[in-house]
């Protein structure tokens, strides 16, 4: 592999510049093939096989995870000499798709799987880490890789509490000193990244509630537990009540996605169901949320003599970017593309299970710009028409490759 436009860095390392045309074209083709064949969490068998085959063709030895999908791959470990302790930098990608239809019209690489789509950019994340792995493998063959690197291709990011826990159980963080990732951001132009120290995503949990009580005729609600009214009060009163029990700066928000009860207009039902999410910007508030939210639900349900059954499903904590690793990403991007290629970003209310890795090692996630510069329309994440400016793939590969080299000089 020829790496064009190499730039000397202090200490004698080289920073790969523009990728060869052949590799850029291959990575775009890989991403498009993955986009056409999305697989849901823990079902990513085709995706896993494709990644494994390409890494093996590059002379690497990827290892499929014990759960059957996803894999990890080390570069430069054999014969490596370093000063002891965890020193590998891990590059993480998520490989699963979403259970929504691809609604893009006249797109040659739209999903071929009904009601499945890569509408969150995981195909881009995967291709970026794969591309970085191919470049780093070539640098290792040249003797230009300063420290070992681990590639992590994680399944089931979209499945609470996230596939990261399975990856960690498989020992993926053993020997790792820090971990980095990117997430597509359709609000940021391709060619740029967004960075933020501290929290960059929010915590996200799931609520499932059942309300029960004796039903009856709507002519005699005083003889029943009026579950429709009880459910309505839970919907409106619980978020307000919980909001008064946390510091407003924690950003804790309960949002409902489903409310179901009853079948006839003149019958008060015996059962109601509600489900929604709890999102939170603050780590400490997230830790307290289950007890406070459950107590508030019981409080409101009891006012209407409804029996409540609550399933509070723990999701993911906020992704909290460690300052040193965030600075590594900043230095790497500036070294490759200049100071104007890095911009600040706000904390998102979206959840990301990359946070579980950060419970064990320091790390940081960058927002990878995927909007075509000058384009006004924003194709939001988790929408059926989501797509990206594919030049972002090259940017992500250059960012990760530069981060590995800059980290080796520290």
């Amino acid at each position: 592999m020829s790496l064009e436009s190499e730039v000397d860095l202090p200490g004698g390392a080289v920073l790969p510049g523009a990728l060869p045309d052949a590799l850029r074209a291959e990575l775009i083709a890989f991403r498009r093939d993955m986009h056409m064949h999305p697989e849901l969490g823990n079902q990513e068998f085709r995706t896993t096989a494709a990644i494994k085959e390409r890494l093996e063709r590059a002379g690497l030895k990827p290892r499929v995870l014990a759960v059957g999908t996803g894999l990890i791959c080390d570069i430069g470990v054999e014969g490596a000499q370093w000063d002891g302790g965890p020193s590998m930098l891990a590059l993480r990608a998520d490989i699963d798709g979403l259970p929504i239809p691809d609604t893009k019209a006249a797109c040659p690489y739209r999903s071929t799987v009904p009601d499945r789509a890569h509408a969150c950019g995981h195909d881009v994340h995967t291709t970026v880490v794969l591309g970085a792995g191919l470049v780093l493998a070539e640098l290792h063959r040249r003797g230009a890789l300063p420290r070992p690197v681990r590639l992590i291709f994680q399944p089931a990011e979209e499945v609470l509490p996230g596939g990261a826990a399975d990856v960690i159980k498989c020992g993926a963080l053993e020997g790792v000193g820090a971990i980095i990732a990117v997430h597509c951001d359709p609000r940021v132009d391709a060619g740029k990244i967004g960075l933020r120290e501290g929290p960059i995503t929010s915590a996200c949990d799931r609520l499932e509630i059942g309300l029960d009580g004796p039903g009856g005729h709507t002519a005699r609600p005083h003889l029943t537990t009026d579950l429709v009214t009880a459910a309505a009060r839970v919907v409106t009163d619980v978020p307000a009540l919980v909001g008064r029990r946390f510091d407003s700066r924690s950003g804790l928000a309960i949002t409902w996605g489903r409310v179901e009860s009853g079948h006839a207009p003149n019958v008060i039902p015996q059962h109601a169901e509600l489900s929604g999410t709890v999102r939170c910007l603050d780590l400490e508030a997230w830790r307290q949320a289950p007890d406070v939210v459950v107590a508030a639900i019981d409080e409101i349900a009891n006012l209407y003599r409804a029996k409540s059954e609550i399933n509070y499903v723990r999701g993911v904590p906020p992704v909290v970017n460690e300052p040193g690793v965030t600075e590594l990403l900043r230095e790497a991007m500036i070294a490759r593309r200049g100071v104007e290629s890095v911009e600040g970003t706000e904390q998102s209310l979206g959840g990301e299970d990359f946070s579980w890795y950060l419970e064990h090692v320091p790390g940081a996630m960058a927002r990878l710009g995927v909007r075509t510069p000058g384009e006004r329309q924003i194709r939001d994440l988790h929408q059926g028409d989501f797509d990206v400016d594919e030049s972002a793939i090259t940017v992500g590969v250059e960012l990760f490759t530069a981060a590995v080299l800059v980290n080796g000089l520290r």
Side-chain angles (χ1 to χ4, degrees):
M1 180 191 300
S2 172
L3 301 177
E4 303 169 5
S5 306
E6 293 180 346
V7 179
D8 290 333
L9 288 177
V14 293
L15 176 63
L19 301 182
D21 289 342
L23 180 57
R24 286 203 305 272
E26 179 190 355
L27 293 177
I28 289 173
F30 186 94
R31 179 257 167 175
R32 291 186 176 189
D33 180 74
M34 190 173 167
H35 196 85
M36 293 171 67
H37 301 92
E39 297 173 300
L40 299 186
N42 296 315
Q43 301 172 24
E44 312 96 332
F45 297 103
R46 183 186 188 278
T47 303
T48 298
I51 299 167
K52 182 173 182 289
E53 187 278 332
R54 186 60 185 93
L55 292 173
E56 288 177 338
R57 194 150 37 97
L60 299 172
K61 298 178 180 179
R63 308 185 298 281
V64 176
L65 300 176
V67 294
T69 62
L71 60 162
I72 60 176
C73 182
D74 293 340
I75 304 173
V77 170
E78 296 179 6
Q81 299 291 326
W82 65 93
D83 56 2
S87 64
M88 272 193 289
L89 182 65
L91 317 180
R92 176 268 198 174
D94 36 14
I95 67 175
D96 56 325
L98 284 164
I100 63 175
D102 189 333
T103 60
K104 293 189 295 295
C107 177
Y109 52 84
R110 65 181 296 182
S111 173
T112 60
V113 185
D115 300 319
R116 302 287 185 268
H118 270 296
C120 197
H122 293 192
D123 52 339
V124 174
H125 308 164
T126 299
T127 305
V128 164
V129 173
L130 174 65
L134 298 178
V135 172
L136 294 169
E138 174 64 20
L139 289 177
H140 178 55
R141 280 189 287 273
R142 297 183 184 186
L145 186 66
R147 289 186 184 180
V149 179
R150 175 164 293 160
L151 313 179
I152 298 176
F153 298 91
Q154 177 208 305
E157 190 276 331
E158 298 287 355
V159 181
L160 287 179
D166 288 328
V167 176
I168 294 168
K169 288 178 184 176
C170 289
L173 293 182
E174 293 177 6
V176 169
I179 186 168
I180 56 176
V182 294
H183 197 295
C184 290
D185 192 334
R187 301 164 302 172
V188 178
D189 284 350
K192 296 184 177 183
I193 63 169
L195 285 178
R196 174 188 174 91
E197 290 186 8
I200 192 172
T201 70
S202 77
C204 180
D205 298 337
R206 188 171 72 242
L207 266 178
E208 298 169 348
I209 305 167
L211 298 176
D212 292 282
H217 201 289
T218 56
R220 293 174 289 278
H222 60 291
L223 301 179
T224 73
T225 294
D226 188 353
L227 284 182
V228 173
T229 298
R233 300 310 300 189
V234 168
V235 167
T236 58
D237 291 356
V238 167
L241 189 59
V242 170
R244 289 295 179 266
R245 294 179 179 178
F246 285 99
D247 188 323
S248 59
R249 290 171 295 183
S250 71
L252 191 143
I254 299 174
T255 306
W256 305 104
R258 185 177 70 94
V259 181
E260 292 186 13
S261 186
H263 301 283
N266 62 340
V267 177
I268 294 175
Q270 300 179 48
H271 182 71
E273 293 182 358
L274 306 86
S275 58
T277 59
V278 180
R279 298 181 185 271
C280 184
L281 301 176
D282 178 71
L283 184 59
E284 187 54 38
W286 176 74
R287 289 173 175 152
Q288 299 171 18
D291 291 340
V292 176
V293 171
V294 168
I297 294 168
D298 282 336
E299 232 176 279
I300 301 302
N302 288 338
L303 286 175
Y304 292 88
R305 299 178 296 171
K307 180 181 178 182
S308 60
E309 184 175 336
I310 305 165
N311 183 23
Y312 192 107
V313 182
R314 210 56 160 139
V316 294
V319 171
V320 181
N321 281 350
E322 194 271 335
V325 184
T326 306
E327 184 58 28
L328 169 64
L329 289 172
R330 187 186 310 277
E331 290 177 16
M333 190 66 176
I334 290 174
R336 180 62 193 97
R337 291 196 165 234
V339 68
E340 70 284 348
S341 66
V342 180
E343 62 184 42
T345 190
E346 62 187 11
Q347 184 178 2
S348 164
L349 278 169
E352 233 289 354
D353 78 348
F354 183 69
S355 54
W356 290 123
Y357 298 105
L358 307 188
E359 298 282 301
H360 301 271
V361 297
M365 170 175 281
R367 300 289 185 190
L368 179 66
V370 296
R371 180 180 62 193
T372 300
E375 184 178 14
R376 293 186 178 183
Q377 179 186 4
I378 296 179
R379 295 186 175 92
D380 202 9
L381 301 171
H382 289 214
Q383 299 295 319
D385 66 346
F386 178 74
D387 206 352
V388 304
D389 184 322
E390 291 175 316
S391 66
I393 295 171
T394 297
V395 176
V397 173
E398 292 175 351
L399 170 66
F400 277 171
T401 307
V404 169
L405 296 172
V406 173
N407 185 60
L409 301 178
R410 290 184 163 188

